[in-house]
Amino acid sequence: MSNIHLRSLVGLLLLLVAPAAHGFAQEPASEERKTLQAEIEALKEGQAKIRQELQEIKGLLRRARAAAPSMPKNLVLSVKGDPFKGDATAPVTLIEFSDYQCPFCARHVRQALPQIERDYVATGKVKYVFRDFPITTIHKQAFKAAEAANCAGVEGKYWEMHDRLFAHQKALNIESLDSHALAVGLDLAIFQRCLKSSVTAKEIRDDLAEGQKAGVRGTPTFFIGRTNPSSSSVKVLKMVRGAQAYRNFQQVLDSVLATQKSSSDSPK
């Protein structure tokens, strides 16, 4: 076979093979485009659903804020017999309604409260009062935990138990409460008798009732007002809902302290 005929035959074969090769090269690319397009459409649908859900959440939050009850006018709260930190006659009282099983309450105890104690309670500016508001519909162990703290208070270890319960929120069953009692140095027999008798339950129910009347719907909720050194009542001036940043408490406390100072400085 001559070289000319051989070259012609090779050229013919190349012409026949080239379209087929071209087709094989393009088919996967076409399938990839289809797959990619389908993925893009799915992503778009997902984003649209997320945007819709975000709008619904925003709407729910707006409605919740609008529906949240405002603080009653001329609100006066009693703090008689409630555990407190600081100077009993400090010019301003900060009252917290809290739940030992509430994660937001624990966050407040970890984050904002230490700074409040350092800058306001330890300096004699603010009296900090703790009141129980166990939301048992969602926190089944909260009420008994509140009883445990109050029983610890019978032996002078209220704040030690308070801190330990918030530090161990996932261990609030009866067996764990006994362990916490031993850890803070309580007499276990005395503690167990107190806990079984529910002797502190009435005080907790009283806190719940007064908190509800004051507009508490969730925990933590705070009331800030003027301390009355001659009685156990507090004239409330401000209400703070939720585990706020320290700077928010700082603004409110400074505002109430300034109001209290100007009131005391005014001529009688």
Side-chain angles (χ1 to χ4, degrees):
M1 182 178 292
S2 68
N3 289 337
I4 294 173
H5 289 157
L6 181 61
R7 285 197 297 271
S8 298
L9 182 59
V10 170
L12 181 60
L13 287 171
L14 288 173
L15 288 172
L16 291 171
V17 170
H22 180 74
F24 282 124
Q26 290 299 308
E27 187 174 349
S30 176
E31 289 300 321
E32 288 176 4
R33 281 198 299 271
K34 290 180 180 178
T35 302
L36 183 60
Q37 186 65 34
E39 290 176 353
I40 291 172
E41 292 301 322
L43 285 172
K44 287 180 179 178
E45 290 179 8
Q47 289 175 341
K49 288 181 180 177
I50 290 172
R51 284 195 295 268
Q52 182 180 355
E53 288 173 357
L54 286 173
Q55 290 299 322
E56 291 174 356
I57 291 170
K58 288 179 180 178
L60 287 171
L61 289 173
R62 283 194 297 269
R63 288 193 292 273
R65 284 194 294 267
S70 58
M71 186 181 74
K73 292 182 179 180
N74 302 316
L75 177 63
V76 176
L77 293 175
S78 171
V79 294
K80 185 177 181 180
D82 292 316
F84 72 90
K85 286 185 177 182
D87 187 344
T89 60
V92 168
T93 297
L94 169 64
I95 305 168
E96 176 182 0
F97 283 84
S98 190
D99 176 320
Y100 283 106
Q101 209 175 343
C102 161
F104 299 105
C105 301
R107 187 173 74 184
H108 171 74
V109 169
R110 290 193 308 269
Q111 296 179 2
L113 185 58
Q115 297 178 80
I116 294 171
E117 290 185 3
R118 180 195 65 203
D119 296 341
Y120 294 93
V121 179
T123 55
K125 298 177 182 177
V126 170
K127 173 184 176 182
Y128 168 67
V129 179
F130 187 91
R131 301 194 67 176
D132 294 301
F133 200 86
I135 305 176
T136 54
T137 53
I138 54 176
H139 299 146
K140 303 300 182 183
Q141 298 172 328
F143 197 99
K144 210 65 182 177
E147 287 186 76
N150 284 286
C151 285
V154 173
E155 297 185 59
K157 296 282 187 177
Y158 181 87
W159 292 109
E160 290 87 344
M161 182 65 90
H162 165 281
D163 295 345
R164 187 168 179 85
L165 293 176
F166 276 122
H168 298 82
Q169 281 193 320
K170 293 183 179 180
L172 297 179
N173 56 30
I174 295 297
E175 294 77 12
S176 296
L177 294 179
D178 287 347
S179 298
H180 299 325
L182 290 172
V184 301
L186 297 179
D187 183 309
L188 186 58
I190 295 175
F191 173 78
Q192 288 177 334
R193 282 199 299 271
C194 177
L195 202 57
K196 289 177 181 177
S197 68
S198 297
V199 67
T200 64
K202 182 183 182 303
E203 182 180 349
I204 297 166
R205 286 193 288 268
D206 289 344
D207 282 357
L208 277 166
E210 188 164 16
Q212 289 167 352
K213 288 179 182 178
V216 177
R217 296 296 180 269
T219 53
T221 297
F222 307 86
F223 297 94
I224 302 96
R226 298 173 184 168
T227 303
N228 187 338
S230 61
S231 76
S232 59
S233 63
V234 176
K235 174 68 172 70
V236 177
L237 300 177
K238 300 283 185 179
M239 181 183 192
V240 175
R241 297 181 189 273
Q244 302 287 330
Y246 167 70
R247 63 179 177 274
N248 295 343
F249 284 99
Q250 191 176 30
Q251 292 172 357
V252 174
L253 291 171
D254 286 347
S255 172
V256 176
L257 282 165
T259 302
Q260 179 74 338
K261 186 177 185 303
S262 62
S263 176
S264 61
D265 289 345
S266 61
K268 301 291 188 282

